[in-house]
Amino acid sequence: MTFKRGEDGAWEMAVPIPAEAIADGIRTIVIVDAETEACLASISLLLGDALDEDLRIEVDLLRQELDMLKRAFRRHCVETE
């Protein structure tokens, strides 16, 4: 793991990703401080053909939830006028 200061003054961290972590599916790599065991960051890797279907399903569910929230908000606005 290496650190350097970026052009904008923020710190940048480079972390090697193990080859076995790169495979189809969803993998999460958690970067932990060895001394304090505090979580510094996490990296999610989403790979593979099967993932396309999963993402479409998730987007569809998000759209349904957004539609439900819009209806509830509109109903609330009408009731409070």
Side-chain angles (χ1 to χ4, degrees):
M1 181 173 355
T2 60
F3 296 92
K4 71 175 185 175
R5 190 172 297 272
E7 293 179 13
D8 62 354
W11 284 96
E12 296 177 4
M13 177 174 54
V15 179
I17 297 175
E20 60 269 10
I22 301 173
D24 284 353
I26 300 173
R27 305 279 190 264
T28 301
I29 299 170
V30 179
I31 303 164
V32 178
D33 184 314
E35 292 178 13
T36 65
E37 296 185 3
C39 177
L40 300 176
S42 65
I43 302 167
S44 296
L45 302 174
L46 296 89
L47 305 164
D49 293 334
L51 193 61
D52 290 341
E53 184 64 29
D54 289 343
L55 289 175
R56 281 191 285 268
I57 292 169
E58 286 296 320
V59 169
D60 186 48
L61 289 172
L62 287 170
R63 285 182 180 145
Q64 291 175 21
E65 289 181 22
L66 181 60
D67 287 341
M68 180 185 67
L69 288 170
K70 288 192 303 189
R71 284 192 302 273
F73 181 71
R74 289 179 184 138
R75 186 171 42 250
H76 171 74
C77 289
V78 168
E79 291 171 357
T80 57
E81 285 182 3

